[in-house]
Amino acid sequence: EWAWGSALVAWTIRSVVLKFGGAATVKTKLFPFFVGVFLGSVVFVVINVTYAGVLQAQGVERIYMVMP
């Protein structure tokens, strides 16, 4: 349920770039940018989970987590 808004924004950005820049712009500039955004978010999640684990190991009981 949470992915529909992100998918709509990504589709809109891709459509606008495709209309004004063409397929080559999507392939050479837009695709690598969003691969970097995705990898950056994965790294952030890994760091966040590691930090939460360290805090739980030290006895902190209340940690904000989206997923149960």
Side-chain angles (χ1 to χ4, degrees):
E1 295 175 357
W2 295 357
W4 288 111
S6 299
L8 178 65
V9 170
W11 176 78
T12 304
I13 291 170
R14 185 179 185 276
S15 296
V16 169
V17 170
L18 187 61
K19 182 171 180 86
F20 292 113
T25 305
V26 171
K27 187 175 183 180
T28 60
K29 294 197 168 64
L30 192 64
F31 183 72
F33 172 74
F34 280 108
V35 167
V37 169
F38 174 75
L39 291 177
S41 65
V42 168
V43 168
F44 173 75
V45 168
V46 168
I47 291 171
N48 195 19
V49 166
T50 304
Y51 182 62
V54 168
L55 288 177
Q56 285 181 342
Q58 293 176 354
V60 177
E61 295 179 7
R62 296 191 62 154
I63 298 173
Y64 174 74
M65 299 178 80
V66 175
M67 299 170 64

